Amino acid sequence: MSCGGCCPDRPIVTDEICQNWEFRCDGTDRTIWEADRDLIKPFGTVTVLVENSCDGVEVRVNDTLIATLTEGQSFSKTFNSLRKVSIKCLKTGTDDGLCCGKLCMTVHYKKC
């Protein structure tokens, strides 16, 4: 059976996401956002702001390193495919301090 022109396409939904994050500077990669499995082709803009860092913060989108930031820096990029955003607070010496910041995203998708 073909869905040709029998019914309208699913509408594109837009979500605005803004959340604070705070982790120990221990070099552990932590997922801070992950797409639900029922989203169809999520895409959009990811902005990460680092308010405090020990020895830098690595930002990964879809398990690919996209930026290494230090305190006071931010990064913003639009992606045509979004599945996961993760943060790794790099360790400085033996002290496990804290790093923190914000994640802001505009995500567009279709939903089953």
Side-chain angles (χ1 to χ4, degrees), residues 20-28 30 49-58 69-71 87-91 96-102:
N20 295 313
W21 50 267
E22 180 179 304
F23 302 113
R24 288 225 147 296
C25 298
D26 60 6
T28 301
R30 294 177 171 90
L49 167 68
V50 177
E51 296 172 327
N52 186 57
S53 71
C54 296
D55 199 25
V57 173
E58 291 182 352
L69 307 172
T70 58
E71 192 170 306
I87 296 288
K88 181 189 287 187
C89 298
L90 302 175
K91 188 173 184 168
D96 286 345
L98 290 175
C99 70
C100 62
K102 295 182 188 316

Side-chain angles (χ1 to χ4, degrees), residues 15 17 19 31-44 46 61-62 81-86 103 105 107-111:
D15 280 342
I17 299 160
Q19 65 186 47
T31 300
I32 57 174
W33 179 85
E34 193 161 14
D36 292 336
R37 292 185 189 269
D38 63 345
L39 301 185
I40 301 170
K41 298 181 182 176
F43 66 96
V46 175
V61 173
N62 302 333
S81 176
L82 282 173
R83 284 288 166 202
K84 183 167 109 174
V85 178
S86 61
L103 168 69
M105 297 175 62
V107 182
H108 311 281
Y109 57 90
K110 294 180 181 182
K111 193 170 183 176

